């Protein structure tokens, strides 16, 4: 197909056919909006997007929306954008938050999932457990400003809940996930002092605010997720949790 002819060498014709019909469930259309466009351009043409949020001005520094999208449901704005890139793609937009009543039905019929949900309840953990029961890999993307992190949950493998200590809340879990990464580098490689400084400044803020995020990491994570999805769809090796994928130009000191 002419649309994907520049994918040649990197992706074989057989692999291109495989990913075209691979059904991706995207839970959350925040950082998920960046991932959606990247995987669509790579050749994933069956994408379900679920989110009950609308586009706000504070999203425009890092998410894949325009000024004219303000106030629109994210899933509708994103679907329109994706179909503008590939009108033949099968894009399903579900304008609802995932909850205990609809989660099982939403997961059914998909081959892989991306968990970009806010950790405001137990839903992200339930999402992972139900996907695991159905043999579905789950990707967790994280925006750390100048760094992108992706954790992959393997069906039947360890899950993110293992990072919670007794009595700890799931609220603001993203910080624990980032701590998991920095602890690894502190012990095994080279400390990520700049991330430690960001966490300290965030914790010192007087108001309760969402974590700071940049467009840089949104783009990094989108590329990382696309590459990982390609590997899962074609049966290639992927690192799974408690291991993780991490990239930042901030660490390139050579």
């Amino acid at each position: 197909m002419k649309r994907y002819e520049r994918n040649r060498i990197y992706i074989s014709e057989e692999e291109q056919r495989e990913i075209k019909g691979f059904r991706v469930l995207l839970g959350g259309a925040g950082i998920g909006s960046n991932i959606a466009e990247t995987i669509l351009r790579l050749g994933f043409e069956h994408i379900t997007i679920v989110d009950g949020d609308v586009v706000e001005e504070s999203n425009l520094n890092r998410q894949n929306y325009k000024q004219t999208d303000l106030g629109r449901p994210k899933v509708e704005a994103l679907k329109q954008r994706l179909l503008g890139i590939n009108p033949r793609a099968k894009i399903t937009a579900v304008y609802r938050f995932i909850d205990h009543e609809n989660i099982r039905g939403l997961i059914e019929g998909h081959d892989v999932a991306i968990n970009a949900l806010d950790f405001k309840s137990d839903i992200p953990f339930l999402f992972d457990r139900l996907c695991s029961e159905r043999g579905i890999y789950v990707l967790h993307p994280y925006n750390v400003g100048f760094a992108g992190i992706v954790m992959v949950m393997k069906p039947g493998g360890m899950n993110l809940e293992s990072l919670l200590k007794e009595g700890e809340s799931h609220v603001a879990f993203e910080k624990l996930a980032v701590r998991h990464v920095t602890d690894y580098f502190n012990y095994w490689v080279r400390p990520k002092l700049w991330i430690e400084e960001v966490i300290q400044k965030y914790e010192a803020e007087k108001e309760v605010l969402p974590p700071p995020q940049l467009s840089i990491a949104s783009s990094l994570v989108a590329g990382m997720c696309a590459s990982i999805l390609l590997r899962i769809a074609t049966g290639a090796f992927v690192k799974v949790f408690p291991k993780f994928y991490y990239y930042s130009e901030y660490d390139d000191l050579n």
Side-chain angles (χ1 to χ4, degrees):
M1 183 183 295
K2 192 173 183 64
R3 175 181 297 272
Y4 303 118
E5 65 181 15
R6 297 290 289 272
N7 288 359
R8 71 185 192 282
I9 300 178
Y10 299 108
I11 302 176
S12 69
E13 291 185 10
E14 181 181 353
E15 289 171 336
Q16 199 72 63
R17 287 192 295 271
E18 288 179 10
I19 68 174
K20 180 178 180 178
F22 208 68
R23 299 161 299 178
V24 181
L25 172 60
L26 186 56
I31 195 171
S33 64
N34 305 82
I35 297 168
E37 180 167 333
T38 303
I39 66 175
L40 178 74
R41 291 185 184 278
L42 193 67
F44 289 89
E45 296 187 4
H46 284 70
I47 305 172
T48 300
I49 313 156
V50 186
D51 200 317
D53 210 352
V54 298
V55 181
E56 300 177 359
E57 188 172 7
S58 61
N59 301 144
L60 301 184
N61 80 312
R62 68 199 184 284
Q63 297 178 14
N64 201 14
Y65 301 105
K66 309 184 300 295
Q67 180 77 19
T68 53
D69 292 327
L70 294 180
R72 295 184 64 192
K74 288 184 176 180
V75 294
E76 293 180 7
L78 184 56
K79 178 178 179 178
Q80 182 180 39
R81 181 176 179 85
L82 297 179
L83 290 177
I85 297 168
N86 184 350
R88 296 183 179 180
K90 307 299 182 183
I91 309 297
T92 302
V94 182
Y95 181 38
R96 291 186 63 182
F97 288 111
I98 297 177
D99 57 33
H100 288 87
E101 284 67 44
N102 62 27
I103 188 169
R104 289 169 176 80
L106 291 170
I107 290 172
E108 291 295 337
H110 294 90
D111 299 306
V112 70
I114 299 170
N115 190 336
L117 301 168
D118 291 331
F119 282 87
K120 297 178 179 178
S121 69
D122 66 331
I123 290 298
F125 297 121
L126 179 59
F127 185 93
D128 284 6
R129 289 198 299 271
L130 293 176
C131 284
S132 180
E133 291 174 5
R134 290 159 176 74
I136 299 173
Y137 278 84
V138 182
L139 279 62
H140 279 260
Y142 296 97
N143 179 324
V144 194
F146 295 106
I149 297 171
V150 181
M151 298 181 187
V152 182
M153 306 296 122
K154 179 182 179 180
M158 290 183 64
N159 57 59
L160 281 180
E161 283 183 286
S162 63
L163 296 180
L164 283 174
K165 298 178 182 178
E166 187 175 352
E168 285 186 325
S169 171
H170 51 257
V171 178
F173 178 83
E174 289 95 333
K175 188 168 64 176
L176 285 178
V178 175
R179 282 288 187 195
H180 170 68
V181 173
T182 56
D183 286 348
Y184 170 84
F185 284 113
N186 289 342
Y187 188 83
W188 293 105
V189 193
R190 176 189 294 163
K192 303 297 182 189
L193 298 179
W194 70 271
I195 298 181
E196 299 283 359
E197 291 176 2
V198 169
I199 293 174
Q200 290 173 9
K201 290 179 180 179
Y202 175 49
E203 292 176 337
E205 290 183 323
K206 296 180 180 179
E207 297 180 67
V208 179
L209 299 170
Q213 296 176 332
L214 298 176
S215 61
I216 295 169
S218 292
S219 297
L220 288 174
V221 162
M224 294 163 72
C225 283
S227 182
I228 295 167
L229 285 179
L230 174 62
R231 298 183 67 80
I232 291 173
T234 57
F237 169 80
V238 292
K239 292 191 295 185
V240 298
F241 182 76
K243 294 182 179 180
F244 54 84
Y245 291 88
Y246 170 96
Y247 180 75
S248 175
E249 176 274 338
Y250 239 50
D251 302 316
D252 191 349
L253 305 177
N254 297 318

